[in-house]
Amino acid sequence: MKVLQIGKYFYPHFGGIETFLYDLCDELKDKVELKVVVANEKFKTEKEIINGIEVNRIGKVIKIASTSICPLFPYYIGKYKPDVVHIHFPNPLGEISYFLSNVSMKSRGNKSSGCKLIVSYHSDIVKQKSLLKIYTPLIEKLLKRADCIIVHSENYMRSSPFLKNYQLKCRVVPIGIDIRKFSITDNTKIIMERIKQKVSSRFILFIGRLVYYKGLPYLIDAMTDVDTQLVVIGSGPLEKELKKKVSRKFLNDKILFTGRVSEEEKIAYLHLCEL
């Protein structure tokens, strides 16, 4: 069976969906014939093998409203001739490209014999309300065409305004975590001792991209009334703004921004943190 995974970006690009996509592909690679199509950060189209996974990074011409414009995306979707297309939503580039590809065209006439479409519904569109008016018809078309919609919690399935008409297609599949990655090794212990030199004995830990929907401004506000330290791991567009907020509130001694850290450092911080 040929399975095509369509995401925004892929490892080592930093992000929650990217991590989820990597873990999913790592499990699937020995069970199906697997390929991944994502946007590249540059103009050139590149193919590489990452831990046995074929990743096709399609050249980006420009970025508009956080969406990469990659003209060759539909071609690479159709080139593979997959039996299953798995789109990770939201991803306007992937969704438009799917409908422009010959894979979608072939499926339209006889859906039962064509390529199956799976949609992992990771998130509603919350902030870009003006763009949502344009995007909504595409979302509805995608969900209507999907053979199966995967959501990560029943609560999200019930509360999402876009999924209300597609409940029968939805399947709840919680996000899995490989706990073996979080074992404490001798090197982890060394890193933990080094971290202890610069943090409180009890501290709160945040890990993620510094973007609006993570709610970090509220956590920073709360730290004025919390008698411990906050460690923030990650980077993103709000980094400068958040650091200024910390300075304005005179919380520099209580909040530590580490930037991005290695996977081993992240695991060490997780073992050390209180919350």
Side-chain angles (χ1 to χ4, degrees), residues 1-273:
M1 179 186 291
K2 293 183 176 181
V3 177
L4 180 65
Q5 296 284 342
I6 300 176
K8 280 189 175 182
Y9 302 103
F10 194 80
Y11 178 88
H13 187 93
F14 183 71
I17 294 178
E18 287 74 25
T19 301
F20 170 81
L21 181 55
Y22 176 85
D23 288 342
L24 177 63
C25 290
D26 196 36
E27 284 295 318
L28 284 176
K29 67 184 181 185
D30 297 324
K31 300 175 178 68
V32 298
E33 191 176 319
L34 180 69
K35 282 183 172 59
V36 178
V37 173
V38 294
N40 204 350
E41 295 279 17
K42 50 190 175 182
F43 181 74
K44 186 179 180 182
T45 294
E46 299 173 308
K47 182 174 84 171
E48 59 182 314
I49 305 298
I50 299 176
N51 194 23
I53 303 163
E54 181 182 314
V55 182
N56 298 271
R57 303 185 195 272
I58 313 306
K60 176 186 72 175
V61 174
I62 195 173
K63 199 173 209 178
I64 301 173
S66 300
T67 298
S68 297
I69 306 301
C70 309
L72 290 177
F73 223 87
Y75 167 75
Y76 276 90
I77 291 174
K79 179 184 177 184
Y80 181 43
K81 299 178 182 177
D83 300 304
V84 176
V85 170
H86 188 166
I87 295 178
H88 295 267
F89 174 94
N91 182 0
L93 170 67
E95 294 141 20
I96 292 171
S97 297
Y98 166 77
F99 285 112
L100 291 176
S101 73
N102 58 18
V103 169
S104 174
M105 300 297 181
K106 289 176 182 176
S107 301
R108 187 176 300 168
N110 185 355
K111 190 174 177 183
S112 63
S113 64
C115 172
K116 299 298 182 182
L117 175 62
I118 308 298
V119 175
S120 275
Y121 195 94
H122 292 280
S123 169
D124 288 327
I125 307 298
V126 179
K127 189 177 182 182
Q128 298 93 338
K129 295 191 187 305
S130 57
L131 291 174
L132 188 56
K133 294 177 183 178
I134 303 170
Y135 193 19
T136 295
L138 178 62
I139 298 172
E140 293 291 347
K141 186 176 182 180
L142 180 76
L143 298 178
K144 185 176 181 181
R145 175 67 68 86
D147 293 280
C148 179
I149 303 166
I150 296 173
V151 292
H152 301 310
S153 74
E154 187 165 346
N155 183 55
Y156 213 108
M157 180 179 74
R158 303 294 181 200
S159 62
S160 168
F162 287 103
L163 295 177
K164 63 182 179 182
N165 295 324
Y166 303 98
Q167 300 282 300
L168 294 178
K169 288 186 179 185
C170 290
R171 298 292 182 272
V172 177
V173 183
I175 294 175
I177 296 173
D178 184 355
I179 60 173
R180 293 171 297 181
K181 294 179 181 179
F182 299 91
S183 300
I184 298 179
T185 65
D186 289 339
N187 194 44
T188 309
K189 292 176 182 177
I190 293 170
I191 296 171
M192 289 170 69
E193 289 304 316
R194 190 167 68 236
I195 291 172
K196 287 178 182 178
Q197 305 304 312
K198 58 181 179 180
V199 298
S200 304
S201 57
R202 300 172 73 233
F203 65 92
I204 298 168
L205 179 64
F206 169 91
I207 304 175
R209 289 185 65 231
L210 308 187
V211 290
Y212 75 93
Y213 53 81
K214 300 293 185 180
L216 262 173
Y218 303 106
L219 181 54
I220 290 170
D221 286 338
M223 288 306 297
T224 58
D225 300 315
V226 179
D227 186 22
T228 190
Q229 189 179 17
L230 168 66
V231 176
V232 177
I233 294 178
S235 61
L238 289 188
E239 187 168 350
K240 287 184 179 179
E241 182 181 324
L242 291 170
K243 286 180 176 178
K244 287 180 181 177
K245 182 180 179 72
V246 168
S247 295
R248 285 197 307 269
K249 289 184 162 290
F250 304 102
L251 293 171
N252 288 298
D253 292 337
K254 293 180 73 174
I255 300 178
L256 171 66
F257 288 87
T258 68
R260 292 184 62 178
V261 302
S262 69
E263 196 69 15
E264 282 191 308
E265 285 179 281
K266 183 177 75 173
I267 291 165
Y269 273 107
L270 282 165
H271 280 291
L272 286 170
C273 74

